[in-house]
Amino acid sequence: MKKQDIKPQAAGISCSPFTSSRKIYVPGKLHDIQVAMREISLSPTKINKDNEVENIPVTVYDTSGPYTDPGYQIDLQKGLPRLREPWIRDRNDVEQLAEVSSTYGARRLSNPALDHLRFEHAKKPLKAKNGHNVTQLHYARKGIITPEMEYIAIRENQRIAELKQAAQENDKGLFEQHTGFSHGAHIPPYITPEFVRDEVAAGRAIIPSNINHPESEPMIIGRNFLVKINANIGNSAVSSSIEEEVEKAVWACRWGADTIMDLSTGSNIHETREWIIRNSPVPIGTVPIYQALEKVNGKAEDLTWEIFKDTLIEQAEQGVSYFTIHAGVRLRYVPLTAKRVTGIVSRGGSIMAKWCLAHHKENFLYTHFEEICEIMKAYDVAFSLGDGLRPGSIADANDEAQFAELETLGELTKIAWRHDVQVMIEGPGHIPMHMIKENMDKQLKSCGEAPFYTLGPLTTDIAPGYDHITSGIGAAMIGWYGCAMLCYVTPKEHLGLPNKKDVKDGVITYKIAAHAADLAKGHPGAQFRDNALSKARFEFRWEDQFNLSLDPDTAREFHDETLPADGAKVAHFCSMCGPKFCSMKISQEVREYAEKGMEQKSAEFAEKGKEIYL
Amino acid sequence: MKKQDIKPQAAGISCSPFTSSRKIYVPGKLHDIQVAMREISLSPTKINKDNEVENIPVTVYDTSGPYTDPGYQIDLQKGLPRLREPWIRDRNDVEQLAEVSSTYGARRLSNPALDHLRFEHAKKPLKAKNGHNVTQLHYARKGIITPEMEYIAIRENQRIAELKQAAQENDKGLFEQHTGFSHGAHIPPYITPEFVRDEVAAGRAIIPSNINHPESEPMIIGRNFLVKINANIGNSAVSSSIEEEVEKAVWACRWGADTIMDLSTGSNIHETREWIIRNSPVPIGTVPIYQALEKVNGKAEDLTWEIFKDTLIEQAEQGVSYFTIHAGVRLRYVPLTAKRVTGIVSRGGSIMAKWCLAHHKENFLYTHFEEICEIMKAYDVAFSLGDGLRPGSIADANDEAQFAELETLGELTKIAWRHDVQVMIEGPGHIPMHMIKENMDKQLKSCGEAPFYTLGPLTTDIAPGYDHITSGIGAAMIGWYGCAMLCYVTPKEHLGLPNKKDVKDGVITYKIAAHAADLAKGHPGAQFRDNALSKARFEFRWEDQFNLSLDPDTAREFHDETLPADGAKVAHFCSMCGPKFCSMKISQEVREYAEKGMEQKSAEFAEKGKEIYL
């Protein structure tokens, strides 16, 4: 399946707009910005044969980027608009390099055998001027509200407060919601740019935004914001091509991925990543140790700090916005995994463990940690402090190795913060439901409220083929408890590399988990979409129900499987119950009787000969 | 798609045994019984080139009935073996009727136009002798341990305690598990027949076991037992045939449904149900008001107590083991739903609400409740007290209407118990995560610890097409909190009638939810299967991993999508990471080093030229 000679073409990319949706751009007040979101138009509610009432459109947070904007001409060879470029330049603290800094990067660029693979229009990278720190955390602590921060505030609000203010009396109910229980989070009714700055300054939130990824639409990861999700893509030695990976990335964003990790371990990792970043509207994360391992032909013991350092620079200059770094896998912790059922299941963790034992030395990621900070602050790459010792089975959940590493990650967080480098903390894994909260509590305590970013957790081991579901349960719960970002799991987990369908199943499952968490936390405005969809459902506005859902295509397809005719889209039933048994239909009739007063209606009813057909 | 002229054929039925599995039958001690379960054989673990160690087989609870026993000859026309018949007869408290008692039933039997549809070998029904009460609750309260109770005790234990006792030292670890947190449940380390009797006597558990369904393998629904799941099948006016419904039932049992509800609302409900019951190894539930509504041509206001009573008898004499009865939809509660976003979403609830308003009278199910009890105790049909006023949207969660009905269900539970009629309580619905526990707490308090049986709950409304997942999250949580049975939701929820694939997706999702709950509750032995599967995973015994999973077919198929060759089944990697990056493979090497002592290994390692290939 290797199409190494073919560059990704626009023709292969998923880009049709969502039905009944349009991209809208909300302007900033402090800065010259246009914040992208999506507006879903609804059909009117029929009051009776002659009267109908308009339904206000619903705005939703949108990660699909310009791809779903029919006004945008996709050109993968050129990449996405470099929307952040003027903001970065205006800060006057970066310089454009004459050449890439990494040895490996330079070698790849000058190799003619790679010409057919290379993204041609890559610009020379930016880097912080000498003595300057370009992280959003640094700006936040200086009291500066960057364009990124304002973008985020507008984006997170989703215009819901404005829609509520403008709504007619009878629509106000759409904006009601249950109070929620946020386990100690503090989510304000309205997100201001100042609130964003404050959360970032406190380390409670991060804005992954490498100065070399100006195409990314700013987003925030933090407990007091909407719960986010990450989708993993990337080739392996056994599967996939550049074209497929770019399409997977765009596909994942289409369905709701807030960030993407490129976890490639196969061929041409460098070139593949360039194509992805240049065409990605969301921040990209990586695990640099993978590529470093490739450079030493898969021999973990041959890894060195120098090779790794060069890899960090290479990837930072391409525009990676966060690095998973397994600096918590300390030599002394490795033996704690000896009695585990599934040992070390993290790729990076197992690689570093092997290195430590082979050299009988402390993990070089740990010993060189401050040097890593120096690199990251020059480009604004955030740490995703890796959970190399996370449990890979229910049996290993919450064991000594896992929590020992967490303590170290807390220690490293403090060091990173001294450099104003942004930090989030990775988490498990496989955890039974009753042991999930302990993870959240310990992480909050050990890591100074840095955002938590978990993989699931999976709540049982017994369902390979369905691990998006076993983990979706745990993810929803830990999101409710305070986890800021949930790393998706696809149906292929434990079995093979995910294909496009798996990516979508994983993304939708995790959008569900994240949104269920937002509702349970009482995130302001979260219930608006649920209310609008349920109202549409109750009124048999089928198309509206589909268009408001996370996956309109599937909802429509499932409905049409048994009732495909156009008439069915205005029918007051579906094939589940048929016309006589539809509870919603009967419910409508019941409501009218109840509202008009019961006695009067009974008389009227008896008079009409008991015939009810509206 | 209506094949009304064709009787279900054995050829169309799913019946292949699970791979590497055999049906086993464990004998009773108190009674002459043979308890069916499934034993999965595993391949040995390779220690080195010449040595291997056997892995003990794993026993699992099995709902698939005789269909997966290759020694059993399926004959749908004859029905399953009537295994409970001798036990029922030996109690000497039933008589066989000369004719069916229900008017409608008699009419169907004597109608030649239905000959081509009818299950021919139906026997005349049994009924309690005058003055006798034949419910398991009645026997339990008299201190009697029935064969059903002993069957259940053996079945629930899954032979795990015996396997643990017989295990070698190095296998003892497989039986370890986390303590769990059961929110006040009391699950003993070993289930005895006396414990079963005591739980049933207390009303904390029910054994759905109509004397006219002797083919059913006894099972129990209660907080202190394994969490159970129900699958809904049944035709509608718009879809499906008898043959398809029988196959759906067998298919649902194959994948793990503990009970099945036949919710048919279309044609030939009576005949369809007979075919299903005669061929079902699990108890069958129904909602009698549906068929009653069909008898009055869909006009709810034309329903009468007499028609309903006749329907109860008709269905009880066929062998239905539990009835959903919406006796809690009281006239005064109906107006409480007027301001809801989605009104009344329960079919039965909306039907009764309509009847109440049309007649301006109290719900006849409520007013005739004790007469219903008299019928049920003559056949041992259990109540599933219906949640007619459950919320059908997040907005309506935990509202006044819902909890008012719950209070009434508590009141009705006491009445049913005075008649020694078994009771379980139905529950919601659509509930955000933070409001789920309140449901469990209120139900325990209001209903005297009668078992809770919820539909999900769905934790958000925004994902039609994926409501098995939105609800799987809520179901896992409420199962952990103490819910005894979880009613599945399929991907087709809100959109149409489920097909076979949907049924399987729903069943597997709910098996996951139920098992995740068992693990979190610390149910003794629950973690055995997870441990065995994870051990197989870690040792790259791929076939064992598949065979131990809930759906071996899909797990194997997903793996083979990218690595189909036989060699891949012993490979120490899969296509997710490939041979160089497989964390489990590297983990194995790390373990050996850690165990042998780190210093020694480093030296050895350096000596061997850093070549690690085992």
Side-chain angles (χ1 to χ4, degrees):
Chain A
M1 221 35 91
K2 291 190 182 187
K3 300 186 192 173
Q4 297 292 359
D5 293 341
I6 301 170
K7 298 192 179 184
Q9 298 298 327
I13 286 296
S14 307
C15 58
S16 49
F18 283 89
T19 40
S20 209
S21 291
R22 62 186 188 113
K23 274 304 246 213
I24 60 174
Y25 299 90
V26 181
K29 294 194 164 78
L30 305 173
H31 298 283
D32 179 19
I33 58 177
Q34 294 288 334
V35 183
M37 24 191 113
R38 176 158 69 98
E39 182 185 81
I40 305 170
S41 299
L42 307 178
S43 54
T45 298
K46 286 199 178 332
I47 305 294
N48 52 45
K49 205 163 61 71
D50 305 311
N51 292 311
E52 57 186 35
V53 177
E54 287 301 312
N55 281 302
I56 58 176
V58 172
T59 318
V60 295
Y61 192 107
D62 184 15
T63 56
S64 62
Y67 295 99
T68 49
D69 186 344
Y72 171 70
Q73 183 81 8
I74 301 169
D75 186 345
L76 298 182
Q77 318 275 334
K78 261 177 65 183
L80 289 176
R82 299 168 70 87
L83 81 106
R84 290 179 49 229
E85 194 161 63
W87 316 341
I88 296 164
R89 293 257 182 228
D90 287 351
R91 291 196 268 265
N92 278 317
D93 53 6
V94 298
E95 58 188 7
Q96 185 161 37
L97 304 175
E99 295 302 331
V100 301
S101 313
S102 91
T103 316
Y104 181 85
R107 215 159 64 223
R108 294 298 283 197
L109 265 179
S110 60
N111 182 351
L114 300 170
D115 288 351
H116 66 295
L117 293 178
R118 204 176 292 113
F119 182 87
E120 284 176 38
H121 298 102
K123 296 195 175 182
K124 287 290 180 276
L126 301 177
K127 186 178 178 178
K129 286 176 179 165
N130 238 340
H132 285 262
N133 183 327
V134 297
T135 73
Q136 292 287 320
L137 174 54
H138 187 69
Y139 302 136
R141 284 180 170 169
K142 281 174 33 182
I144 298 168
I145 294 176
T146 60
E148 285 87 349
M149 293 172 196
E150 188 190 13
Y151 190 106
I152 281 160
I154 296 170
R155 196 177 191 187
E156 290 275 322
N157 286 322
Q158 301 169 84
R159 276 203 326 173
I160 291 178
E162 288 85 343
L163 287 173
K164 178 177 179 179
Q165 193 142 20
Q168 304 281 357
E169 211 38 56
N170 58 308
D171 280 331
K172 295 282 190 198
L174 286 170
F175 299 93
E176 284 170 21
Q177 66 178 56
H178 299 288
T179 303
F181 183 78
S182 73
H183 293 281
H186 293 105
I187 310 163
Y190 191 76
I191 306 287
T192 61
E194 168 57 23
F195 178 77
V196 173
R197 187 207 59 74
D198 189 58
E199 287 289 294
V200 174
R204 268 196 300 273
I206 68 169
I207 300 174
S209 50
N210 186 322
I211 56 180
N212 288 308
H213 188 187
E215 301 92 337
S216 61
E217 295 172 346
M219 57 82 71
I220 196 161
I221 301 169
R223 184 181 183 201
N224 294 327
F225 299 92
L226 292 164
V227 178
K228 305 304 192 300
I229 73 166
N230 172 74
N232 292 330
I233 61 161
N235 64 24
S236 79
V238 186
S239 204
S240 209
S241 69
I242 293 181
E243 193 168 29
E244 285 171 73
E245 293 310 313
V246 172
E247 167 55 10
K248 271 188 213 169
V250 174
W251 183 245
C253 292
R254 177 185 182 77
W255 295 110
D258 294 290
T259 77
I260 282 177
M261 290 194 80
D262 174 7
L263 303 184
S264 294
T265 58
S267 319
N268 305 311
I269 294 175
H270 181 94
E271 288 69 32
T272 304
R273 185 170 47 242
E274 188 77 44
W275 279 98
I276 291 171
I277 297 177
R278 300 283 67 85
N279 288 292
S280 173
V282 306
I284 300 292
T286 61
V287 187
I289 202 74
Y290 297 168
Q291 196 184 2
L293 187 69
E294 273 297 301
K295 292 172 182 177
V296 295
N297 295 315
K299 295 204 181 122
E301 53 278 27
D302 287 353
L303 286 164
T304 64
W305 161 243
E306 290 306 323
I307 290 169
F308 185 76
K309 176 180 171 182
D310 192 70
T311 306
L312 289 181
I313 294 166
E314 167 203 347
Q315 298 196 4
E317 291 191 348
Q318 283 185 298
V320 173
S321 289
Y322 64 89
F323 290 147
T324 294
I325 306 255
H326 298 91
V329 179
R330 297 195 62 180
L331 172 61
R332 79 184 75 155
Y333 300 156
V334 178
L336 298 177
T337 65
K339 293 273 178 287
R340 280 183 162 184
V341 175
T342 42
I344 300 171
V345 296
S346 154
R347 282 178 192 164
S350 64
I351 291 166
M352 292 319 297
K354 189 166 167 184
W355 188 91
C356 288
L357 293 187
H359 295 275
H360 198 60
K361 278 180 166 181
E362 185 61 276
N363 180 340
F364 66 79
L365 301 174
Y366 180 83
T367 53
H368 289 271
F369 194 73
E370 294 218 50
E371 289 166 78
I372 297 175
C373 293
E374 295 290 349
I375 294 168
M376 303 196 31
K377 75 209 237 187
Y379 303 95
D380 195 4
V381 183
F383 276 112
S384 187
L385 291 178
D387 55 337
L389 302 183
R390 70 173 175 273
S393 53
I394 291 296
D396 297 339
N398 289 15
D399 74 350
E400 206 186 339
Q402 179 192 336
F403 285 145
E405 179 181 51
L406 182 62
E407 288 298 314
T408 297
L409 298 189
E411 177 199 322
L412 295 170
T413 299
K414 292 188 178 76
I415 298 173
W417 281 349
R418 283 207 304 269
H419 292 267
D420 283 351
V421 175
Q422 305 192 78
V423 181
M424 63 180 171
I425 309 291
E426 291 185 5
H430 289 231
I431 311 281
M433 288 190 287
H434 69 299
M435 293 166 72
I436 292 178
K437 185 143 197 303
E438 185 184 0
N439 279 273
M440 192 68 229
D441 294 342
K442 278 189 147 73
Q443 188 270 340
L444 281 168
K445 195 158 163 233
S446 303
C447 303
E449 294 191 277
F452 206 15
Y453 169 33
T454 57
L455 181 63
L458 283 73
T459 51
T460 170
D461 303 337
I462 71 171
Y466 299 81
D467 279 323
H468 55 311
I469 299 178
T470 61
S471 68
I473 293 167
M477 291 173 70
I478 207 168
W480 174 29
Y481 298 150
C483 190
M485 186 154 79
L486 310 168
C487 184
Y488 90 169
V489 173
T490 76
K492 288 284 168 52
E493 187 72 13
H494 301 119
L495 301 170
L497 200 72
N499 59 29
K500 265 182 74 172
K501 180 180 192 315
D502 300 317
V503 167
K504 184 180 181 187
D505 285 340
V507 170
I508 299 291
T509 298
Y510 273 68
K511 286 293 289 179
I512 288 170
H515 185 76
D518 287 333
L519 286 176
K521 289 164 77 184
H523 193 105
Q527 202 178 306
F528 176 43
R529 190 174 185 171
D530 297 73
N531 293 344
L533 190 146
S534 287
K535 184 173 189 280
R537 172 174 287 155
F538 188 66
E539 295 173 5
F540 297 99
R541 286 181 281 122
W542 288 100
E543 285 295 338
D544 290 348
Q545 184 189 163
F546 305 152
N547 293 331
L548 284 164
S549 73
L550 287 179
D551 181 3
D553 301 344
T554 297
R556 188 176 294 110
E557 181 195 318
F558 279 6
H559 173 274
D560 290 359
E561 231 177 78
T562 48
L563 285 175
D566 281 352
K569 298 297 195 314
V570 296
H572 285 217
F573 63 89
C574 72
S575 70
M576 175 76 93
C577 307
K580 281 190 292 195
F581 281 87
C582 178
S583 63
M584 297 231 165
K585 176 168 168 294
I586 300 171
S587 229
Q588 297 259 9
E589 298 161 13
V590 162
R591 169 174 294 189
E592 287 164 26
Y593 284 120
E595 278 169 357
K596 286 184 187 168
M598 292 186 284
E599 281 200 49
Q600 176 200 349
K601 227 28 220 177
S602 292
E604 192 183 279
F605 175 68
E607 205 184 8
K608 281 192 182 152
K610 298 195 181 84
E611 200 67 58
I612 304 192
Y613 217 93
L614 296 152
Chain B
M1 223 28 93
K2 290 189 181 188
K3 300 185 192 172
Q4 296 292 357
D5 294 339
I6 301 170
K7 299 194 179 184
Q9 298 298 329
I13 286 296
S14 307
C15 58
S16 48
F18 282 89
T19 39
S20 208
S21 291
R22 62 186 188 112
K23 275 300 249 214
I24 59 174
Y25 299 90
V26 181
K29 294 191 164 79
L30 306 173
H31 299 285
D32 179 20
I33 57 178
Q34 296 286 333
V35 183
M37 22 191 114
R38 177 159 69 96
E39 183 185 79
I40 305 170
S41 299
L42 307 178
S43 54
T45 298
K46 288 201 180 325
I47 305 294
N48 53 44
K49 205 165 59 71
D50 305 309
N51 292 311
E52 55 185 36
V53 176
E54 288 300 312
N55 281 302
I56 56 175
V58 172
T59 318
V60 296
Y61 192 107
D62 184 16
T63 56
S64 63
Y67 295 99
T68 50
D69 186 343
Y72 171 71
Q73 184 81 7
I74 301 169
D75 185 344
L76 298 182
Q77 318 275 331
K78 259 177 64 186
L80 289 176
R82 300 167 70 86
L83 80 107
R84 291 178 49 229
E85 196 161 60
W87 316 341
I88 296 164
R89 294 258 183 227
D90 286 352
R91 290 195 270 264
N92 279 314
D93 53 6
V94 298
E95 57 189 7
Q96 186 162 37
L97 304 176
E99 295 304 329
V100 301
S101 313
S102 90
T103 315
Y104 180 84
R107 213 161 64 226
R108 295 297 284 196
L109 265 180
S110 60
N111 181 352
L114 299 170
D115 289 349
H116 67 295
L117 294 178
R118 201 175 294 112
F119 181 87
E120 286 176 36
H121 299 103
K123 296 195 177 183
K124 288 289 178 279
L126 301 177
K127 186 178 178 178
K129 287 175 178 164
N130 239 338
H132 284 263
N133 183 327
V134 297
T135 72
Q136 292 287 319
L137 174 52
H138 187 69
Y139 302 136
R141 284 179 170 170
K142 282 178 25 185
I144 298 169
I145 294 175
T146 60
E148 286 86 349
M149 293 172 197
E150 189 191 11
Y151 190 106
I152 281 160
I154 295 170
R155 195 176 192 187
E156 290 275 323
N157 286 321
Q158 301 168 85
R159 276 202 328 175
I160 291 177
E162 288 86 341
L163 287 173
K164 178 177 180 179
Q165 192 142 20
Q168 305 280 357
E169 210 39 56
N170 59 309
D171 280 331
K172 295 282 189 199
L174 286 170
F175 299 93
E176 282 169 24
Q177 67 177 55
H178 299 288
T179 303
F181 182 79
S182 73
H183 293 281
H186 294 105
I187 309 163
Y190 191 77
I191 307 287
T192 60
E194 168 56 23
F195 179 78
V196 173
R197 186 207 61 72
D198 190 57
E199 288 289 293
V200 175
R204 268 194 300 274
I206 68 169
I207 300 174
S209 49
N210 186 321
I211 55 180
N212 288 307
H213 187 187
E215 301 90 338
S216 62
E217 295 172 344
M219 57 83 69
I220 194 161
I221 301 168
R223 184 180 183 202
N224 294 326
F225 298 92
L226 292 164
V227 177
K228 304 304 190 300
I229 73 166
N230 173 72
N232 292 329
I233 61 161
N235 64 24
S236 79
V238 187
S239 202
S240 209
S241 67
I242 294 181
E243 192 168 30
E244 284 171 74
E245 293 309 314
V246 172
E247 166 55 9
K248 270 188 213 171
V250 174
W251 182 245
C253 291
R254 178 186 181 75
W255 295 110
D258 294 290
T259 77
I260 282 177
M261 289 195 80
D262 174 8
L263 303 183
S264 294
T265 57
S267 319
N268 305 310
I269 295 174
H270 182 92
E271 288 69 33
T272 304
R273 184 170 48 241
E274 188 77 43
W275 279 99
I276 291 170
I277 298 176
R278 299 283 69 84
N279 288 292
S280 173
V282 306
I284 301 292
T286 61
V287 187
I289 202 73
Y290 297 168
Q291 196 184 2
L293 187 69
E294 273 297 301
K295 294 173 183 176
V296 296
N297 295 316
K299 295 199 180 128
E301 53 278 26
D302 287 354
L303 286 164
T304 63
W305 161 244
E306 289 306 321
I307 289 168
F308 185 76
K309 176 180 173 183
D310 193 69
T311 306
L312 289 181
I313 295 167
E314 167 204 346
Q315 297 196 3
E317 291 192 348
Q318 284 185 296
V320 173
S321 288
Y322 64 89
F323 289 147
T324 293
I325 307 253
H326 298 91
V329 179
R330 296 195 63 180
L331 172 61
R332 78 183 77 156
Y333 300 156
V334 177
L336 297 177
T337 66
K339 292 274 180 286
R340 281 183 162 185
V341 175
T342 42
I344 300 171
V345 297
S346 154
R347 284 178 192 164
S350 63
I351 292 165
M352 292 318 299
K354 191 165 166 182
W355 187 92
C356 288
L357 293 186
H359 295 274
H360 198 58
K361 276 181 166 181
E362 185 61 277
N363 180 340
F364 65 79
L365 301 174
Y366 180 84
T367 53
H368 290 270
F369 193 74
E370 295 218 49
E371 289 165 79
I372 297 176
C373 293
E374 295 289 349
I375 295 168
M376 303 194 35
K377 72 210 240 189
Y379 303 95
D380 195 4
V381 184
F383 275 111
S384 186
L385 291 177
D387 55 336
L389 302 183
R390 70 174 175 273
S393 53
I394 291 297
D396 297 339
N398 290 16
D399 74 350
E400 206 186 340
Q402 178 192 336
F403 285 144
E405 180 182 50
L406 181 62
E407 289 297 315
T408 297
L409 298 190
E411 175 199 323
L412 294 169
T413 299
K414 292 188 179 78
I415 298 173
W417 281 350
R418 282 208 304 270
H419 292 266
D420 283 351
V421 175
Q422 305 193 78
V423 181
M424 63 181 170
I425 308 292
E426 290 185 6
H430 289 230
I431 311 281
M433 288 190 287
H434 69 298
M435 294 165 72
I436 293 178
K437 187 144 194 303
E438 185 183 1
N439 280 271
M440 193 66 230
D441 294 341
K442 277 188 147 77
Q443 189 270 340
L444 281 167
K445 195 159 163 234
S446 303
C447 304
E449 294 190 275
F452 206 14
Y453 169 33
T454 57
L455 181 62
L458 284 71
T459 51
T460 170
D461 302 338
I462 70 170
Y466 299 80
D467 279 324
H468 54 311
I469 299 178
T470 60
S471 68
I473 293 166
M477 291 172 69
I478 207 169
W480 174 29
Y481 298 149
C483 189
M485 186 153 78
L486 310 168
C487 185
Y488 90 169
V489 173
T490 76
K492 287 284 168 55
E493 188 72 12
H494 301 118
L495 302 169
L497 200 71
N499 60 28
K500 265 182 73 171
K501 182 182 191 314
D502 300 316
V503 167
K504 184 180 180 185
D505 285 340
V507 170
I508 298 292
T509 299
Y510 273 69
K511 286 294 287 179
I512 288 170
H515 185 75
D518 286 332
L519 286 175
K521 289 164 76 184
H523 194 105
Q527 201 178 306
F528 177 43
R529 189 173 184 171
D530 298 72
N531 293 344
L533 191 145
S534 287
K535 184 173 189 279
R537 172 174 287 155
F538 189 65
E539 295 173 5
F540 297 100
R541 286 181 279 122
W542 287 101
E543 285 294 340
D544 290 348
Q545 184 189 162
F546 305 152
N547 293 331
L548 283 164
S549 73
L550 286 179
D551 181 2
D553 301 345
T554 297
R556 187 176 294 110
E557 181 196 318
F558 279 6
H559 173 274
D560 290 0
E561 231 177 76
T562 48
L563 284 176
D566 281 352
K569 298 297 194 318
V570 295
H572 285 218
F573 63 89
C574 71
S575 70
M576 175 77 93
C577 308
K580 283 189 292 195
F581 281 88
C582 177
S583 62
M584 298 233 166
K585 176 169 168 295
I586 300 171
S587 229
Q588 296 259 9
E589 298 161 13
V590 162
R591 169 174 294 191
E592 289 165 25
Y593 285 120
E595 279 169 356
K596 288 184 187 170
M598 293 186 282
E599 281 198 49
Q600 178 200 347
K601 226 31 220 176
S602 291
E604 194 181 281
F605 173 69
E607 206 182 10
K608 280 192 184 153
K610 298 198 182 84
E611 199 67 58
I612 304 190
Y613 217 95
L614 296 152

